[in-house]
Amino acid sequence: VIQVACDQYHPALYSDCFFTLSPHWISGAPDQLASPQHDKMLACDFRFQNVAPLTNCHISYNMSSTSNWEFMDRDRLIVAVAEPLKAITPGQFSVFYKGDICLGSARIEKPGPSLYTLNIGKCRDKYRNEAAKRKESL
């Protein structure tokens, strides 16, 4: 999927979460991911481009369902980031760290909904109004 936007800061290019395929843990899955005491979440840092700075995130297992019940899918992760990130791209790897310790990695399956899709800060109205002004000036 190629996304085209009118500028590099368009909210359609940013997301505050993403979904991964099966994680590869160096020393086994962190206990916090299965612990009710930690809300089954792990606070850590990650990077998805080898030159990008570490970013705070919360990891949890994805949920799957059958026709009559839901269950934790340990083969997929949901990663929520502290600040929206640009260009979260399927196929890239996210690498997870706790301090200086590398916990493991997982291939990014897909980004979560964009800030534009979620209409954060009523951004769609802003871009619609700008498009209407451009159209009127033609």
Side-chain angles (χ1 to χ4, degrees), residues 20-26 47 77 92-97 102-108:
T20 76
L21 297 173
S22 185
H24 305 280
W25 302 113
I26 292 174
R47 133 178 329 135
L77 298 174
Q92 290 182 328
F93 274 85
S94 52
V95 181
F96 306 105
Y97 298 88
C102 179
L103 301 173
S105 66
R107 183 180 291 242
I108 296 173

Side-chain angles (χ1 to χ4, degrees), residues 46-56:
F46 94 101
R47 133 178 329 135
F48 74 103
Q49 296 171 335
N50 63 349
V51 294
L54 289 172
T55 301
N56 292 330

Side-chain angles (χ1 to χ4, degrees), residues 47-74:
R47 133 178 329 135
F48 74 103
Q49 296 171 335
N50 63 349
V51 294
L54 289 172
T55 301
N56 292 330
C57 70
H58 283 84
I59 300 171
S60 60
Y61 287 122
N62 201 354
M63 296 299 289
S64 291
S65 63
T66 63
S67 59
N68 59 353
W69 62 291
E70 281 191 336
F71 61 94
M72 210 179 339
D73 183 356
R74 294 176 187 263

